[in-house]
Amino acid sequence: MSSETKQRHQRNQRDGLVGLADGPSVKKLPDFGQTSPVVVEARRQAIAETADASSMTVRFIIWRPKEILAPRGH
C-alpha cells in the first residue's frame, strides 16, 4: 500500500467522507488565525466601550486596543 493510499485510508477512518474529499479543510484552525488572544480581548474591550457611544468610529476601535495593550508591554 502506498503512503498516499495509507493516508487516505486513515483520513477516511478518522474523518469519514469529508476527510477524503478535502483533507486540509478538516484541520482545526485557531479561532482567530494568527492574532494573539490578548489582542483579540483588547479589541473586544474596545468594541464593548463603544456600545453606548454611537459617535465612536472605526478609527477609535483601531486605536483603543493599542492603548489597552501599552501598559502591558505589548
Side-chain angles (χ1 to χ4, degrees):
M1 179 182 297
S2 73
S3 62
E4 183 178 342
T5 304
K6 183 178 178 181
Q7 289 173 353
R8 285 179 183 229
H9 178 71
Q10 290 171 342
R11 279 197 315 258
N12 183 36
Q13 287 183 322
R14 184 185 65 232
D15 304 321
L17 186 57
V18 173
L20 287 178
D22 194 13
S25 70
V26 175
K27 294 178 184 174
K28 174 71 174 133
L29 298 175
D31 291 336
F32 303 103
Q34 296 179 356
T35 304
S36 166
V38 175
V39 173
V40 172
E41 186 55 39
R43 287 181 180 169
R44 285 183 172 162
Q45 181 180 336
I47 292 168
E49 290 174 8
T50 65
D52 295 328
S54 62
S55 62
M56 295 293 184
T57 63
V58 171
R59 188 174 297 164
F60 175 84
I61 295 173
I62 293 170
W63 168 81
R64 183 65 178 130
K66 294 175 189 175
E67 297 297 309
I68 294 168
L69 295 173
R72 301 179 192 174
H74 292 282

